């Protein structure tokens, strides 16, 4: 079956530090990959996505590249802000498995001024 | 942009009450989903629906039921609320053949059962 594994948090960084949150996946088909962000007390928002190998998704300074050879979709940001403090979820949809979204466990990011 | 609206942000209900959580989407999505989110347990799928009047159990359907009488509306029902159903509830919707677009989530309903 499909699965998503992401690094456990919390990740604590100082403002302007470089961020990497690792995500690897297992899928039987050829999935689309997503990063969702959840700010405190809110629902999930789509942050970025990639639908095929070597695609790079980007939004709000965040980037992630679909790496089929390493089955990874790591989230990066060059300079984090306090406002980036949130929980980040890596996820995939495998069209060959009924278009159900499979989530990782989430990684809490805390950015200190 | 697709919008998924959950009727309440916060609810407090008493044990044994029948509770309705409402979710409406405005972009003609076929699929709708209910999740609950608890610390340390991530997001767990309760029920989903791929068409009007159709429903499928997710991973944790016990104690819940759903209703989808219209395409845009998906209701989660707690037949007799219990304290272990205190949680954050998230509704989502998606298109069937557009997996590359992912799901769109509502803002969540934080339910407290006392």
């Amino acid at each position: 079956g499909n699965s998503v594994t992401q690094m456990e948090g919390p990740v604590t960084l100082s403002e302007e530090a470089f961020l990497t949150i690792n995500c690897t996946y297992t899928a039987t088909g050829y999935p689309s990959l997503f990063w969702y962000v959840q700010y405190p007390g809110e629902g999930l928002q789509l942050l970025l996505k990639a639908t095929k190998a070597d695609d790079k998704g980007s939004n709000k300074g965040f980037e992630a590249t679909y790496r089929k050879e390493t089955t990874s979709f790591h989230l990066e940001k060059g300079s984090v802000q306090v406002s980036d403090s949130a929980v980040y979820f890596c996820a995939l949809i495998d069209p060959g498995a009924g278009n159900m979204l499979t989530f990782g466990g989430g990684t809490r990011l805390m950015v200190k001024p | 942009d697709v919008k998924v609206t959950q009727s309440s942000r916060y609810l407090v209900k008493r044990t044994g009450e029948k509770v309705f959580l409402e979710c409406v989407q405005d972009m003609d999505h076929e699929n709708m989903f209910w999740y609950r989110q608890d610390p340390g347990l991530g997001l767990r799928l309760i029920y989903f629906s791929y068409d009007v009047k159709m429903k499928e159990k997710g991973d944790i359907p016990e104690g819940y039921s759903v209703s989808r009488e219209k395409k845009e509306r998906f209701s989660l029902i707690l037949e007799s609320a219990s304290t272990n159903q205190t949680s954050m509830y998230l509704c989502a919707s998606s298109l069937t053949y557009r997996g590359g677009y992912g799901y769109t989530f509502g803002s969540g309903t934080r339910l407290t059962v006392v």
Side-chain angles (χ1 to χ4, degrees):
Chain A
N2 298 332
S3 67
V4 176
T5 302
Q6 56 183 112
M7 57 192 294
E8 289 192 23
V11 174
T12 304
L13 296 173
S14 297
E15 206 164 23
E16 299 184 2
F18 185 87
L19 168 70
T20 300
I21 300 178
N22 290 336
C23 171
T24 57
Y25 68 89
T26 301
T28 53
Y30 202 163
S32 296
L33 302 174
F34 306 87
W35 277 100
Y36 283 87
V37 59
Q38 185 179 33
Y39 298 104
E42 300 289 327
L44 274 69
Q45 302 174 25
L46 180 63
L47 180 60
L48 54 83
K49 64 176 182 176
T51 58
K52 60 183 187 297
D54 301 324
D55 266 3
K56 178 187 283 188
S58 62
N59 186 24
K60 299 182 181 180
F62 291 89
E63 293 183 341
T65 301
Y66 189 142
R67 300 288 188 199
K68 193 170 189 293
E69 64 276 13
T70 55
T71 62
S72 64
F73 193 54
H74 305 320
L75 183 68
E76 297 182 335
K77 187 175 185 183
S79 176
V80 293
Q81 306 299 312
V82 172
S83 58
D84 294 326
S85 299
V87 180
Y88 293 82
F89 292 90
C90 186
L92 67 84
I93 287 180
D94 183 350
N99 277 319
M100 298 299 291
L101 193 62
T102 300
F103 287 99
T107 302
R108 181 175 299 278
L109 170 65
M110 299 172 60
V111 181
K112 298 184 175 180
Chain B
D1 281 350
V2 178
K3 193 169 182 181
V4 176
T5 304
Q6 294 184 231
S7 54
S8 304
R9 292 296 301 274
Y10 300 95
L11 276 178
V12 180
K13 296 293 182 179
R14 295 193 179 279
T15 301
E17 276 193 79
K18 190 169 186 177
V19 180
F20 293 85
L21 302 183
E22 305 290 345
C23 176
V24 177
Q25 51 95 3
D26 65 359
M27 278 296 288
D28 206 34
H29 282 183
E30 296 93 350
N31 305 321
M32 296 188 75
F33 308 84
W34 276 106
Y35 291 86
R36 64 177 283 177
Q37 184 179 23
D38 301 288
L41 296 176
L43 290 110
R44 294 180 291 170
L45 182 64
I46 305 171
Y47 267 97
F48 64 101
S49 168
Y50 52 86
D51 201 352
V52 176
K53 297 190 185 296
M54 306 301 288
K55 61 184 179 183
E56 295 285 345
K57 293 180 180 179
D59 300 320
I60 51 163
E62 296 79 18
Y64 303 94
S65 63
V66 290
S67 172
R68 193 160 181 209
E69 296 296 319
K70 294 184 177 181
K71 191 174 186 179
E72 67 269 20
R73 185 180 296 271
F74 192 36
S75 303
L76 180 68
I77 304 157
L78 287 65
E79 297 289 344
S80 177
S82 64
T83 54
N84 63 13
Q85 292 178 309
T86 292
S87 187
M88 172 72 126
Y89 290 87
L90 295 168
C91 177
S93 70
S94 75
L95 285 166
T96 296
Y97 299 110
R98 305 288 288 274
Y101 286 82
Y103 292 8
T104 302
F105 284 83
S107 298
T109 296
R110 186 164 294 282
L111 173 67
T112 303
V113 182
V114 297

